[in-house]
């Protein structure tokens, strides 16, 4: 079955860059997503990338996709304390009715 | 951006009672909605896929009679936890799909509700 894996925890200093990594197994995925979850809240879609792209940049966020290795990363530039949250990567299809498959989430802690 | 409203945000109930959670897409029509469950410090687990006008599709291990899903309109899906027990205590999140086949939108996205924390005493 499909599997999405992430490291559990990342700690960075305010102002540094954060890189959160994710690997997935389903090569038929056409969309790959990054979500942010703050305590007690729902998921916020941060960004997504089509599987035929290598990189996508959106303000402080940069997504890199290595489709050959099935590796996805999210880079947050100039990390702020407000970025402290759990970040989930997810993979899915653009057609059909299947929901997303989520990783276990990476808790990002930003030290002042 | 599109908004999905989930209500209530939290609920405490006695064991044996039923609890209904609503998920509404506020500015788009969602033919498909998904219900997830999240245990503390774990990832989201898909419970069921809710299709407007038809029966929900449940994931393996999810009891259909316990978690009743109704998707009566294009903007509303409900999850009812029947005869709730303490082990049903969890964080429940819905998501609604904007776009996809038949919608005329080529760019498909999922939007999530803010979640419902259910505590069963």
């Amino acid at each position: 079955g499909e599997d999405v894996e992430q490291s559990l925890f990342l700690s960075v200093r305010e102002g540094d860059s954060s890189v959160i990594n994710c690997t997935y197994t389903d090569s038929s995925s056409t969309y790959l997503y990054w979500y942010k979850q703050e305590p007690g809240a729902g998921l916020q879609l941060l960004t997504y990338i089509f599987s035929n792209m290598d990189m996508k940049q959106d303000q402080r966020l940069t997504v890199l996709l290595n489709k050959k290795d099935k590796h996805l990363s999210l880079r947050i530039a100039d990390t702020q304390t407000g970025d402290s949250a759990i970040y989930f990567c997810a993979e899915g299809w653009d057609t059909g009715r299947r929901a997303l498959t989520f990783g276990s989430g990476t808790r990002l802690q930003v030290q002042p | 951006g599109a908004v999905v409203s989930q209500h209530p945000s939290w609920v405490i109930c006695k064991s044996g009672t039923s609890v209904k959670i609503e998920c509404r897409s506020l500015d788009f029509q969602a033919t498909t909605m998904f219900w997830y469950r999240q245990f503390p410090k774990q990832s989201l687990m898909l419970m069921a896929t809710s299709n407007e006008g038809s029966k929900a599709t449940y994931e393996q291990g999810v009891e259909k009679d316990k978690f009743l899903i109704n998707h009566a309109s294009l903007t509303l899906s409900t999850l009812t936890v029947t005869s709730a027990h303490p082990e049903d205590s969890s964080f429940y999140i819905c998501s609604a799909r904007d776009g996809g086949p038949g919608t005329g939108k080529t760019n498909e996205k999922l939007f999530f509700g803010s979640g419902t924390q259910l505590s069963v005493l």
Side-chain angles (χ1 to χ4, degrees):
Chain A
E2 302 84 14
D3 195 19
V4 180
E5 294 188 355
Q6 299 177 240
S7 53
L8 292 180
F9 185 76
L10 175 66
S11 180
V12 299
R13 289 187 182 276
E14 193 173 18
D16 289 348
S17 293
S18 307
V19 179
I20 302 171
N21 294 301
C22 172
T23 58
Y24 61 98
T25 58
D26 189 350
S27 58
S28 64
S29 299
T30 52
Y31 284 60
L32 294 133
Y33 300 80
W34 283 104
Y35 287 87
K36 177 182 181 182
Q37 185 182 32
E38 297 185 67
L43 295 179
Q44 173 194 355
L45 175 64
L46 287 178
T47 187
Y48 64 93
I49 188 169
F50 293 108
S51 60
N52 61 357
M53 296 170 64
D54 298 323
M55 185 182 86
K56 180 178 180 180
Q57 188 153 2
D58 185 359
Q59 299 182 333
R60 292 191 298 125
L61 305 178
T62 303
V63 178
L64 295 178
L65 174 60
N66 182 328
K67 195 173 181 181
K68 176 175 172 289
D69 295 338
K70 300 189 186 70
H71 182 266
L72 181 74
S73 68
L74 173 69
R75 179 177 180 271
I76 305 173
D78 187 25
T79 313
Q80 303 297 308
T81 53
D83 295 324
S84 294
I86 300 176
Y87 290 81
F88 290 92
C89 69
E91 56 90 14
W93 299 338
D94 62 341
T95 58
R97 299 181 182 280
R98 202 191 71 167
L100 301 179
T101 301
F102 286 84
S104 54
T106 299
R107 180 177 294 277
L108 174 64
Q109 184 178 70
V110 182
Q111 313 271 9
Chain B
V3 176
V4 172
S5 173
Q6 187 172 340
H7 178 80
S9 299
W10 60 271
V11 58
I12 302 173
C13 68
K14 291 183 179 179
S15 185
T17 59
S18 294
V19 174
K20 181 185 282 189
I21 304 170
E22 292 188 350
C23 182
R24 291 180 186 273
S25 56
L26 297 185
D27 55 1
F28 66 98
Q29 293 184 328
T31 54
T32 306
M33 292 187 176
F34 304 95
W35 287 95
Y36 297 85
R37 183 174 181 178
Q38 185 180 33
F39 291 102
K41 298 183 180 179
Q42 294 186 28
S43 188
L44 297 174
M45 298 297 294
L46 178 65
M47 298 174 66
T49 302
S50 169
N51 299 303
E52 187 266 337
S54 64
K55 290 183 179 180
T57 304
Y58 289 81
E59 295 299 299
Q60 192 173 7
V62 179
E63 298 175 61
K64 300 179 184 181
D65 296 331
K66 178 137 187 90
F67 299 100
L68 299 179
I69 291 173
N70 184 285
H71 193 159
S73 78
L74 286 171
T75 58
L76 174 64
S77 175
T78 61
L79 167 67
T80 301
V81 183
T82 61
S83 187
H85 290 283
E87 59 266 29
D88 299 323
S89 297
S90 188
F91 192 54
Y92 294 86
I93 301 180
C94 71
S95 70
R97 189 169 75 180
D98 184 15
T103 65
K105 296 180 181 180
T106 56
N107 196 0
E108 181 181 314
K109 289 184 181 179
L110 279 181
F111 295 93
F112 286 78
S114 54
T116 299
Q117 180 65 53
L118 171 63
S119 296
V120 184
L121 304 177

